[in-house]
DNA sequence: GGTTACATGTAACTAGTTACATGATTAG
DNA sequence: CTAATCATGTAACTAGTTACATGTAACC
């Protein structure tokens, strides 16, 4: 999960850990919270050891072309980052960039056909522009099938346990409503995707 | 999470681990999967050590009044459980029941005002019939406020980042749609709850 | 007598968390 | 100078997972 998020963000732009965390928190699906430093920094170290990311000189960090934060503070910080002078003593900003190996790993994680949790799927969609159109569509279709399957299962369960009392019944209704909302969204997403992609005739 | 589920299920009926797991899987919200034995059995041991549950004689396990599985296999197993004879050697069924201390712990977890994840909230609702009406309503209202807050936040974010491109924008829409669906469900739940509870005038 | 389903448990691992420790930079 | 914010990291813990090890009971 965190690996996918880090690789996806670094593919767009070189960043240091602290900034990375801020952007992680701003990513959809919004219902999941911010990641902690205690998991972010070890993850960065792990990814660096694996050769997926590498620390670059702090001054190489590109200032955001479109400042996603919109804050003046962020702009000033970016400006200052450009003429930072390396201090003799330890703790200082460490800017990371993605490596070619890391880009491969990102594509693998984006195309991974294993059904994932909501949060990971949201991240896959957030960065799916890096996939080939056919793989992107496959990602959406797989998810659609997964959600459709859950709806079918919920329907079967409803048949089996008709006359369920109060709160349990309400919870089942909620499950079905949420699955139905999600399916409708996926159908829109898929329709838009097909509309945007000129059809590929069979070879 | 698992503690709440175990205590909630054992409050209804004495059960052994294997059966407990089956019911855990059938509980809403359906989108979360089944728990593994590797987390269930240690959890039972922990709860027993804490004095929240205790192992009772296997023959005391009440057969399900309404067989939730609907399977003949389950019915036969329940029948056989009634005339099990203790075998001399180790591994055999171990039926657990909830203790008064465990019932206290269950009520604490049900009324816990700390905002929780989706899965835990679903469990709180699944067992909320054990709460006093006012506490039940408070549980729902807290959740409603939480979701309403997230919707407000999503709206602010939409203002801030208008003209977001393709997939990110779609993900935001999905977030808002799912939050809105959930809010509507909560409103129905709260309305039903108020309708069912004769109003309490201020003392 | 073999297969299948029931049943309990442990060990090693995964993926995160909170709390802590430290230091650098800047605004007032 | 000092408080706030930026920034990096470690240690101990939490809450689960998978894979393994073992045994029981019934079915055919």
């Amino acid at each position: 999960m965190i690996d996918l998020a880090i690789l996806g963000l670094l593919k767009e732009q070189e960043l240091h850990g602290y900034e990375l965390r801020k952007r992680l928190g701003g990513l959809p699906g919004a219902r999941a919270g911010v990641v902690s430093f205690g998991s972010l920094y070890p993850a960065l170290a792990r990814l660096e050891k694996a050769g997926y990311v590498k620390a670059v000189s702090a001054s190489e960090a590109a200032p955001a072309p479109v400042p996603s934060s919109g804050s003046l503070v962020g702009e000033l910080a970016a400006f200052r980052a450009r003429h930072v002078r390396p201090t003799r003593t330890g703790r200082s900003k460490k800017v990371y960039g993605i490596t070619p190996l890391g880009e491969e790993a990102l594509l693998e994680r984006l195309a991974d056909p294993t059904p994932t949790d909501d949060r990971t799927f949201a991240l896959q969609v957030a960065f799916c522009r890096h996939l080939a159109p056919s793989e992107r569509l496959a990602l959406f279709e797989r998810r659609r099938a997964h959600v459709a399957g859950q709806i079918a299962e919920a329907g079967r369960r409803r048949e089996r346990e008709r006359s369920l009392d109060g709160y349990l019944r309400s919870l089942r209704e909620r499950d079905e409503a949420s699955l139905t909302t999600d399916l409708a969204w996926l159908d829109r997403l898929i329709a838009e995707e097909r509309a945007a992609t000129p059809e590929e005739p069979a070879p």
Side-chain angles (χ1 to χ4, degrees), chain A:
Chain A
M1 217 282 311
I2 201 174
D3 293 18
L4 173 56
I6 290 173
L7 293 173
L9 285 172
L10 290 186
K11 167 104 185 184
E12 291 166 48
Q13 185 183 152
E14 295 176 344
L15 291 167
H16 58 268
Y18 195 88
E19 179 67 23
L20 210 37
R21 191 182 90 127
K22 281 204 294 199
R23 309 217 177 179
L24 246 29
L27 241 40
R31 302 192 80 161
V34 161
V35 302
S36 66
F37 288 123
S39 88
L40 177 60
Y41 286 117
L44 276 171
R46 182 165 34 76
L47 291 174
E48 184 169 31
K49 205 169 144 195
Y52 294 162
V53 308
K54 63 175 198 303
V56 300
S57 143
S59 50
E60 279 180 39
V66 175
S68 80
S69 71
S71 79
L72 287 181
V73 177
E75 300 256 51
L76 287 172
F79 173 77
R80 283 189 298 260
R82 260 167 270 150
H83 58 80
V84 73
R85 63 230 174 276
T87 45
R88 48 231 160 288
T89 98
R91 224 87 124 170
S92 171
K93 234 192 287 209
K94 212 166 148 187
V95 176
Y96 289 94
I98 193 168
T99 65
L101 199 61
E103 303 203 347
E104 272 178 53
L106 172 60
L107 287 178
E108 247 172 59
R109 278 159 182 72
L110 286 175
D112 181 5
T114 314
T116 52
D117 59 274
D118 236 53
R119 177 74 157 133
T120 300
F121 175 69
L123 287 173
Q124 288 175 324
V125 175
F127 301 122
C128 73
R129 64 175 165 286
H130 303 304
L131 284 174
S134 64
E135 285 187 303
R136 192 157 51 223
L137 201 52
L139 172 69
F140 300 163
E141 298 274 22
R142 267 197 309 273
R143 183 69 177 189
R144 197 204 180 276
H146 179 67
V147 172
Q150 284 185 290
I151 290 178
E153 201 190 324
R156 261 178 275 124
R157 187 154 35 212
R158 179 154 33 75
E159 283 308 298
R160 189 168 358 109
E161 0 165 292
R162 49 177 95 259
S163 85
L164 203 61
D165 63 323
Y167 300 110
L168 269 322
R169 203 214 54 224
S170 189
L171 280 168
R172 297 279 189 223
E173 283 168 14
R174 178 203 187 208
D175 279 350
E176 286 202 57
S178 127
L179 287 168
T180 303
T181 301
D182 207 24
L183 189 73
W185 172 76
L186 281 166
D187 282 335
R188 280 199 311 279
L189 186 66
I190 290 170
E192 283 168 27
E193 184 67 22
R194 285 196 201 281
T197 311
E199 59 261 40
E200 303 174 51

